[in-house]
Amino acid sequence: MAGMTGKDVETINRRIYSIARHLIPPQNLETNNRISGSGCSSGGFNDTYNRVHGEVPTNIPEWKTASLDDSGKEFTDIIYEKAVGEGIAKITINRPNRKNAIQPHTVTELMRAFKDARDDSSIAGTKAFCNGGDQAQRGKGKEDYVDYHYFGRANFIDLQMQIRRLPKPVIAMVAGYALGAGQVLHMVCDLTIAADNAIFGEIGVKVGSFDAGYGPSVMARLVGPKRAREMMFMSRFYNASEAKEMGLINTIVPLEKLEEETIKWCREILRNSPMAIRVCKSVINATDDGYAGLQQIGGDLTLMFYGTEESAEAKNAYLERRKPDYSKFPKLP
Protein backbone atom coordinates (compact mmCIF):
# COMPACT_ATOMS: atom_id res chain seq x y z
CA MET A 1 0.00 0.00 0.00
CA ALA A 2 1.16 3.52 -0.79
CA GLY A 3 2.75 5.32 2.13
CA MET A 4 3.19 2.18 4.22
CA THR A 5 6.55 0.87 5.29
CA GLY A 6 7.51 -2.73 5.80
CA LYS A 7 7.28 -2.13 9.54
CA ASP A 8 3.67 -0.93 9.18
CA VAL A 9 2.73 -4.08 7.23
CA GLU A 10 4.44 -6.24 9.84
CA THR A 11 2.49 -4.49 12.61
CA ILE A 12 -0.83 -5.02 10.80
CA ASN A 13 -0.08 -8.70 10.18
CA ARG A 14 0.88 -9.18 13.81
CA ARG A 15 -2.38 -7.62 15.00
CA ILE A 16 -4.46 -9.68 12.57
CA TYR A 17 -2.76 -12.85 13.77
CA SER A 18 -3.32 -11.84 17.40
CA ILE A 19 -7.06 -11.44 16.79
CA ALA A 20 -7.27 -14.63 14.73
CA ARG A 21 -5.61 -16.78 17.38
CA HIS A 22 -8.38 -15.78 19.81
CA LEU A 23 -11.01 -17.12 17.42
CA ILE A 24 -9.35 -19.92 15.44
CA PRO A 25 -7.50 -22.98 16.75
CA PRO A 26 -3.75 -22.57 16.20
CA GLN A 27 -3.47 -25.67 14.02
CA ASN A 28 -5.96 -24.15 11.57
CA LEU A 29 -4.12 -20.85 11.26
CA GLU A 30 -1.57 -22.74 9.21
CA THR A 31 -4.19 -24.25 6.86
CA ASN A 32 -5.82 -21.25 5.22
CA ASN A 33 -7.55 -20.29 8.48
CA ARG A 34 -10.25 -22.94 8.03
CA ILE A 35 -11.94 -24.24 11.14
CA SER A 36 -12.45 -27.98 11.07
CA GLY A 37 -15.98 -29.23 11.60
CA SER A 38 -16.16 -30.06 15.27
CA GLY A 39 -19.66 -28.88 16.08
CA CYS A 40 -20.33 -25.92 18.33
CA SER A 41 -19.21 -27.46 21.59
CA SER A 42 -16.80 -25.21 23.42
CA GLY A 43 -14.57 -28.17 24.09
CA GLY A 44 -13.98 -28.64 20.38
CA PHE A 45 -11.88 -25.50 19.93
CA ASN A 46 -8.41 -24.67 21.17
CA ASP A 47 -8.97 -20.91 21.13
CA THR A 48 -7.60 -18.53 23.76
CA TYR A 49 -10.75 -18.70 25.89
CA ASN A 50 -10.56 -22.48 26.19
CA ARG A 51 -6.79 -22.44 26.67
CA VAL A 52 -7.29 -20.09 29.63
CA HIS A 53 -10.23 -21.92 31.18
CA GLY A 54 -9.32 -25.46 30.20
CA GLU A 55 -11.71 -28.27 29.34
CA VAL A 56 -15.11 -28.29 31.01
CA PRO A 57 -15.11 -31.08 33.63
CA THR A 58 -17.72 -33.80 33.13
CA ASN A 59 -17.41 -35.66 36.42
CA ILE A 60 -20.59 -35.97 38.48
CA PRO A 61 -20.36 -33.64 41.51
CA GLU A 62 -20.95 -34.61 45.10
CA TRP A 63 -24.58 -33.85 45.88
CA LYS A 64 -25.82 -32.68 49.27
CA THR A 65 -29.52 -33.22 49.92
CA ALA A 66 -31.59 -30.31 51.19
CA SER A 67 -34.12 -32.40 53.08
CA LEU A 68 -36.26 -29.58 54.47
CA ASP A 69 -38.23 -26.85 52.72
CA ASP A 70 -38.52 -23.29 54.00
CA SER A 71 -41.36 -24.29 56.33
CA GLY A 72 -39.18 -26.88 58.04
CA LYS A 73 -41.12 -29.79 56.55
CA GLU A 74 -39.54 -32.74 54.78
CA PHE A 75 -39.89 -32.80 51.00
CA THR A 76 -42.10 -35.70 49.97
CA ASP A 77 -42.64 -35.30 46.22
CA ILE A 78 -39.22 -34.00 45.16
CA ILE A 79 -35.54 -34.50 45.89
CA TYR A 80 -33.68 -31.19 46.22
CA GLU A 81 -29.88 -31.31 46.09
CA LYS A 82 -26.97 -28.89 45.77
CA ALA A 83 -23.55 -29.65 44.33
CA VAL A 84 -20.85 -29.33 46.97
CA GLY A 85 -18.46 -26.49 46.07
CA GLU A 86 -20.29 -25.63 42.84
CA GLY A 87 -23.15 -23.26 42.03
CA ILE A 88 -25.53 -25.96 40.79
CA ALA A 89 -28.84 -27.08 42.29
CA LYS A 90 -30.74 -30.20 41.18
CA ILE A 91 -34.47 -30.74 41.61
CA THR A 92 -35.85 -34.20 40.88
CA ILE A 93 -39.55 -35.11 40.96
CA ASN A 94 -39.81 -38.22 43.12
CA ARG A 95 -43.18 -39.91 42.63
CA PRO A 96 -42.18 -43.23 41.05
CA ASN A 97 -45.49 -44.85 41.96
CA ARG A 98 -47.22 -42.26 39.75
CA LYS A 99 -44.51 -42.26 37.05
CA ASN A 100 -43.36 -38.86 38.35
CA ALA A 101 -46.63 -37.17 37.41
CA ILE A 102 -47.13 -33.93 39.32
CA GLN A 103 -49.91 -32.91 41.67
CA PRO A 104 -50.51 -29.52 43.38
CA HIS A 105 -48.41 -30.55 46.37
CA THR A 106 -45.54 -31.43 44.00
CA VAL A 107 -45.77 -27.99 42.43
CA THR A 108 -45.77 -26.36 45.87
CA GLU A 109 -42.54 -28.17 46.74
CA LEU A 110 -41.00 -27.31 43.36
CA MET A 111 -41.77 -23.64 43.93
CA ARG A 112 -40.18 -23.74 47.39
CA ALA A 113 -37.06 -25.37 45.97
CA PHE A 114 -36.81 -22.85 43.11
CA LYS A 115 -37.27 -20.01 45.61
CA ASP A 116 -34.38 -21.36 47.66
CA ALA A 117 -32.22 -21.71 44.52
CA ARG A 118 -33.00 -18.12 43.60
CA ASP A 119 -32.24 -16.72 47.06
CA ASP A 120 -29.04 -18.75 47.50
CA SER A 121 -26.31 -16.52 46.09
CA SER A 122 -23.98 -19.50 45.74
CA ILE A 123 -26.33 -21.10 43.19
CA ALA A 124 -25.93 -19.94 39.58
CA GLY A 125 -28.10 -22.49 37.77
CA THR A 126 -30.75 -25.15 38.32
CA LYS A 127 -31.63 -28.37 36.54
CA ALA A 128 -34.94 -30.11 36.97
CA PHE A 129 -37.15 -32.93 35.77
CA CYS A 130 -41.70 -34.80 35.18
CA ASN A 131 -44.13 -36.79 33.31
CA GLY A 132 -47.29 -34.72 33.45
CA GLY A 133 -50.21 -33.76 35.61
CA ASP A 134 -51.57 -36.54 37.81
CA GLN A 135 -55.10 -37.09 36.51
CA ALA A 136 -55.96 -39.11 39.62
CA GLN A 137 -55.68 -35.90 41.65
CA ARG A 138 -58.36 -34.12 39.66
CA GLY A 139 -61.50 -33.38 41.63
CA LYS A 140 -64.79 -31.95 40.49
CA GLY A 141 -65.75 -28.42 39.51
CA LYS A 142 -63.95 -25.68 41.40
CA GLU A 143 -62.34 -28.31 43.61
CA ASP A 144 -60.35 -29.56 40.57
CA TYR A 145 -56.73 -30.35 41.48
CA VAL A 146 -56.81 -30.03 45.26
CA ASP A 147 -53.69 -30.01 47.42
CA TYR A 148 -53.12 -31.84 50.69
CA HIS A 149 -55.21 -29.22 52.50
CA TYR A 150 -58.07 -29.73 50.01
CA PHE A 151 -57.61 -26.24 48.68
CA GLY A 152 -58.52 -26.12 45.00
CA ARG A 153 -55.83 -24.45 42.95
CA ALA A 154 -54.04 -24.53 39.59
CA ASN A 155 -50.64 -23.55 40.94
CA PHE A 156 -48.75 -24.98 37.95
CA ILE A 157 -49.14 -21.60 36.22
CA ASP A 158 -47.44 -19.94 39.21
CA LEU A 159 -44.53 -22.37 38.76
CA GLN A 160 -44.23 -21.49 35.07
CA MET A 161 -44.01 -17.79 35.92
CA GLN A 162 -41.46 -18.47 38.64
CA ILE A 163 -39.15 -20.36 36.26
CA ARG A 164 -39.46 -17.65 33.62
CA ARG A 165 -38.55 -14.92 36.11
CA LEU A 166 -35.86 -16.83 37.96
CA PRO A 167 -32.71 -14.77 37.25
CA LYS A 168 -30.62 -17.91 36.84
CA PRO A 169 -30.65 -20.45 33.99
CA VAL A 170 -32.87 -23.49 34.46
CA ILE A 171 -31.98 -26.60 32.44
CA ALA A 172 -34.52 -29.38 31.93
CA MET A 173 -32.90 -32.82 32.01
CA VAL A 174 -35.38 -35.16 30.32
CA ALA A 175 -35.38 -38.95 30.37
CA GLY A 176 -38.40 -40.98 29.31
CA TYR A 177 -41.78 -39.31 28.93
CA ALA A 178 -42.33 -35.54 29.05
CA LEU A 179 -46.04 -35.24 28.38
CA GLY A 180 -48.65 -32.61 29.13
CA ALA A 181 -47.48 -30.66 32.17
CA GLY A 182 -44.05 -32.27 31.79
CA GLN A 183 -43.87 -31.00 28.23
CA VAL A 184 -44.78 -27.47 29.33
CA LEU A 185 -42.33 -27.62 32.23
CA HIS A 186 -39.36 -28.35 29.98
CA MET A 187 -40.46 -25.70 27.45
CA VAL A 188 -40.52 -22.91 30.04
CA CYS A 189 -37.04 -23.93 31.20
CA ASP A 190 -34.20 -22.09 29.48
CA LEU A 191 -32.53 -25.17 27.97
CA THR A 192 -33.53 -28.80 27.44
CA ILE A 193 -31.13 -31.74 27.31
CA ALA A 194 -32.84 -35.01 26.43
CA ALA A 195 -31.83 -38.63 26.72
CA ASP A 196 -32.18 -40.74 23.60
CA ASN A 197 -35.22 -42.47 25.14
CA ALA A 198 -37.14 -39.21 25.69
CA ILE A 199 -40.70 -38.90 24.36
CA PHE A 200 -42.45 -35.53 24.07
CA GLY A 201 -46.06 -34.61 23.47
CA GLU A 202 -49.31 -33.01 24.57
CA ILE A 203 -52.13 -35.10 26.04
CA GLY A 204 -54.49 -32.40 27.29
CA VAL A 205 -57.29 -32.76 24.73
CA LYS A 206 -57.34 -36.53 25.29
CA VAL A 207 -58.18 -36.14 28.98
CA GLY A 208 -60.30 -32.99 28.84
CA SER A 209 -57.52 -30.62 29.85
CA PHE A 210 -55.27 -27.96 28.35
CA ASP A 211 -52.47 -25.62 29.35
CA ALA A 212 -53.67 -22.10 30.09
CA GLY A 213 -50.22 -20.75 30.83
CA TYR A 214 -47.08 -20.28 28.77
CA GLY A 215 -47.29 -23.69 27.06
CA PRO A 216 -49.10 -22.87 23.78
CA SER A 217 -47.34 -19.56 23.12
CA VAL A 218 -43.86 -20.84 23.98
CA MET A 219 -44.45 -23.96 21.90
CA ALA A 220 -45.46 -21.83 18.90
CA ARG A 221 -42.25 -19.82 19.34
CA LEU A 222 -40.13 -22.96 19.46
CA VAL A 223 -41.66 -25.10 16.70
CA GLY A 224 -43.86 -22.69 14.73
CA PRO A 225 -47.65 -22.13 14.85
CA LYS A 226 -48.58 -24.98 12.48
CA ARG A 227 -46.59 -27.64 14.31
CA ALA A 228 -47.80 -26.28 17.66
CA ARG A 229 -51.41 -26.72 16.55
CA GLU A 230 -50.62 -30.24 15.37
CA MET A 231 -49.15 -31.10 18.77
CA MET A 232 -52.00 -29.49 20.72
CA PHE A 233 -54.97 -30.64 18.59
CA MET A 234 -53.85 -34.20 17.82
CA SER A 235 -51.86 -35.11 20.94
CA ARG A 236 -49.21 -36.98 18.99
CA PHE A 237 -45.99 -38.16 20.60
CA TYR A 238 -42.51 -37.37 19.24
CA ASN A 239 -39.18 -39.04 19.94
CA ALA A 240 -36.04 -37.13 20.88
CA SER A 241 -34.73 -36.91 17.30
CA GLU A 242 -38.01 -35.48 16.03
CA ALA A 243 -38.13 -33.03 18.94
CA LYS A 244 -34.61 -31.78 18.21
CA GLU A 245 -35.32 -31.45 14.49
CA MET A 246 -38.33 -29.22 15.16
CA GLY A 247 -36.42 -27.06 17.68
CA LEU A 248 -38.21 -28.28 20.79
CA ILE A 249 -35.00 -29.30 22.61
CA ASN A 250 -31.31 -28.38 22.48
CA THR A 251 -29.49 -31.68 22.25
CA ILE A 252 -29.73 -35.47 22.67
CA VAL A 253 -27.33 -37.71 24.57
CA PRO A 254 -27.32 -41.40 25.53
CA LEU A 255 -29.35 -42.04 28.67
CA GLU A 256 -26.27 -43.04 30.68
CA LYS A 257 -24.59 -39.72 29.75
CA LEU A 258 -27.58 -37.47 30.52
CA GLU A 259 -26.53 -36.13 33.92
CA GLU A 260 -22.89 -35.91 32.87
CA GLU A 261 -23.74 -33.76 29.84
CA THR A 262 -26.15 -31.59 31.82
CA ILE A 263 -23.52 -30.96 34.49
CA LYS A 264 -21.08 -30.01 31.73
CA TRP A 265 -23.51 -27.44 30.37
CA CYS A 266 -24.05 -26.06 33.89
CA ARG A 267 -20.31 -25.70 34.44
CA GLU A 268 -19.85 -24.01 31.08
CA ILE A 269 -22.55 -21.48 32.01
CA LEU A 270 -20.88 -20.93 35.39
CA ARG A 271 -17.75 -19.66 33.58
CA ASN A 272 -19.67 -16.69 32.22
CA SER A 273 -20.88 -13.40 33.71
CA PRO A 274 -23.91 -14.04 35.96
CA MET A 275 -25.29 -10.53 35.47
CA ALA A 276 -24.92 -10.72 31.69
CA ILE A 277 -26.72 -14.08 31.68
CA ARG A 278 -29.45 -12.66 33.90
CA VAL A 279 -30.06 -9.78 31.50
CA CYS A 280 -29.92 -12.08 28.45
CA LYS A 281 -32.67 -14.25 29.95
CA SER A 282 -34.81 -11.19 30.70
CA VAL A 283 -34.41 -9.80 27.18
CA ILE A 284 -35.23 -13.14 25.51
CA ASN A 285 -38.39 -13.53 27.61
CA ALA A 286 -39.52 -9.90 27.44
CA THR A 287 -41.39 -10.16 24.13
CA ASP A 288 -43.70 -12.90 25.38
CA ASP A 289 -43.99 -11.63 28.95
CA GLY A 290 -45.38 -8.19 28.12
CA TYR A 291 -45.31 -5.65 30.94
CA ALA A 292 -44.07 -8.32 33.34
CA GLY A 293 -41.11 -8.88 31.02
CA LEU A 294 -40.36 -5.16 30.87
CA GLN A 295 -40.62 -5.02 34.64
CA GLN A 296 -38.04 -7.80 34.93
CA ILE A 297 -35.63 -5.97 32.62
CA GLY A 298 -36.22 -2.76 34.57
CA GLY A 299 -35.45 -4.55 37.81
CA ASP A 300 -32.25 -6.01 36.40
CA LEU A 301 -31.12 -2.61 35.12
CA THR A 302 -31.90 -1.05 38.49
CA LEU A 303 -29.81 -3.69 40.20
CA MET A 304 -26.92 -2.98 37.84
CA PHE A 305 -27.23 0.82 38.20
CA TYR A 306 -27.26 0.69 41.99
CA GLY A 307 -23.76 -0.79 41.77
CA THR A 308 -22.33 2.14 39.80
CA GLU A 309 -20.33 5.10 41.10
CA GLU A 310 -22.89 7.47 39.62
CA SER A 311 -25.69 5.95 41.68
CA ALA A 312 -23.51 6.01 44.78
CA GLU A 313 -22.71 9.71 44.22
CA ALA A 314 -26.42 10.56 44.00
CA LYS A 315 -27.26 8.59 47.16
CA ASN A 316 -24.33 9.97 49.15
CA ALA A 317 -25.08 13.55 48.09
CA TYR A 318 -28.67 13.18 49.30
CA LEU A 319 -27.59 11.71 52.65
CA GLU A 320 -24.88 14.39 53.08
CA ARG A 321 -27.24 17.25 52.15
CA ARG A 322 -25.07 18.48 49.27
CA LYS A 323 -25.34 18.86 45.52
CA PRO A 324 -24.24 15.76 43.61
CA ASP A 325 -21.17 16.11 41.38
CA TYR A 326 -21.96 14.41 38.09
CA SER A 327 -19.13 16.10 36.17
CA LYS A 328 -16.91 13.02 36.36
CA PHE A 329 -19.51 10.80 34.67
CA PRO A 330 -19.52 10.94 30.86
CA LYS A 331 -22.73 11.68 28.97
CA LEU A 332 -22.39 8.79 26.56
CA PRO A 333 -24.18 8.98 23.18
Side-chain angles (χ1 to χ4, degrees):
M1 297 181 185
M4 293 184 63
T5 66
K7 185 176 181 180
D8 292 331
V9 173
E10 181 181 349
T11 300
I12 292 173
N13 287 336
R14 187 172 63 251
R15 290 178 179 175
I16 292 175
Y17 180 81
S18 178
I19 294 173
R21 68 186 292 270
H22 281 270
L23 305 175
I24 303 173
Q27 62 268 27
N28 290 322
L29 290 175
E30 301 172 2
T31 55
N32 297 325
N33 289 344
R34 292 178 295 185
I35 300 179
S36 59
S38 56
C40 58
S41 171
S42 65
F45 295 96
N46 188 27
D47 55 13
T48 299
Y49 181 87
N50 282 284
R51 288 197 297 273
V52 170
H53 290 274
E55 290 292 325
V56 180
T58 59
N59 61 293
I60 302 300
E62 177 187 350
W63 295 107
K64 182 179 180 180
T65 302
S67 59
L68 301 177
D69 64 15
D70 58 359
S71 66
K73 297 179 181 178
E74 292 277 351
F75 287 116
T76 59
D77 284 14
I78 69 170
I79 300 172
Y80 180 39
E81 302 167 287
K82 298 180 181 180
V84 176
E86 300 190 61
I88 305 171
K90 180 170 70 169
I91 305 171
T92 307
I93 297 174
N94 185 37
R95 302 188 71 221
N97 59 319
R98 300 299 302 171
K99 297 182 179 179
N100 288 336
I102 62 173
Q103 59 178 340
H105 182 71
T106 315
V107 176
T108 298
E109 291 192 345
L110 285 169
M111 293 179 67
R112 287 171 177 165
F114 275 117
K115 180 181 182 299
D116 179 83
R118 173 175 183 148
D119 294 342
D120 188 343
S121 60
S122 69
I123 298 297
T126 307
K127 62 193 188 77
F129 224 64
C130 116
N131 192 330
D134 190 345
Q135 298 303 306
Q137 289 294 316
R138 289 179 60 179
K140 296 180 179 179
K142 66 180 181 180
E143 296 288 323
D144 205 9
Y145 269 116
V146 295
D147 62 15
Y148 281 176
H149 301 288
Y150 297 98
F151 182 78
R153 65 193 312 173
N155 55 349
F156 187 64
I157 295 176
D158 296 333
L159 175 63
Q160 295 179 31
M161 295 174 64
Q162 183 184 29
I163 293 174
R164 293 276 290 191
R165 302 196 70 174
L166 189 73
K168 303 172 184 180
V170 181
I171 302 178
M173 184 173 65
V174 184
Y177 288 95
L179 308 175
Q183 161 98 321
V184 176
L185 182 58
H186 96 80
M187 288 193 299
V188 298
C189 291
D190 300 298
L191 301 165
T192 299
I193 301 176
D196 50 13
N197 71 338
I199 301 293
F200 301 87
E202 287 295 328
I203 57 173
V205 297
K206 288 183 177 180
V207 296
S209 180
F210 59 90
D211 177 69
Y214 280 104
S217 59
V218 172
M219 183 189 297
R221 287 276 188 181
L222 293 173
V223 304
K226 294 290 187 180
R227 181 55 68 88
R229 290 184 175 92
E230 172 190 319
M231 298 178 75
M232 298 289 290
F233 297 167
M234 305 177 76
S235 292
R236 290 176 174 173
F237 293 175
Y238 305 85
N239 61 36
S241 296
E242 292 170 323
K244 186 175 186 300
E245 182 180 358
M246 70 175 75
L248 192 63
I249 63 177
N250 293 93
T251 192
I252 308 168
V253 296
L255 177 59
E256 63 273 13
K257 295 287 186 180
L258 180 58
E259 183 168 12
E260 177 182 306
E261 183 67 16
T262 307
I263 290 296
K264 182 178 180 181
W265 283 48
C266 290
R267 286 170 174 156
E268 191 166 344
I269 290 171
L270 284 167
R271 293 180 168 188
N272 300 321
S273 164
M275 181 57 73
I277 290 174
R278 176 185 183 133
V279 174
C280 284
K281 178 170 180 173
S282 297
V283 172
I284 291 171
N285 289 343
T287 302
D288 294 324
D289 290 355
Y291 282 120
L294 295 176
Q295 182 188 46
Q296 182 66 41
I297 293 178
D300 291 343
L301 293 176
T302 301
L303 179 63
M304 294 174 64
F305 181 67
Y306 278 0
T308 65
E309 292 184 15
E310 183 176 341
S311 176
E313 168 63 17
K315 179 197 69 173
N316 292 336
Y318 175 79
L319 295 176
E320 296 167 5
R321 303 294 189 269
R322 61 175 174 82
K323 292 182 179 180
D325 178 14
Y326 294 126
S327 61
K328 56 184 176 180
F329 305 110
K331 282 68 174 177
L332 300 174

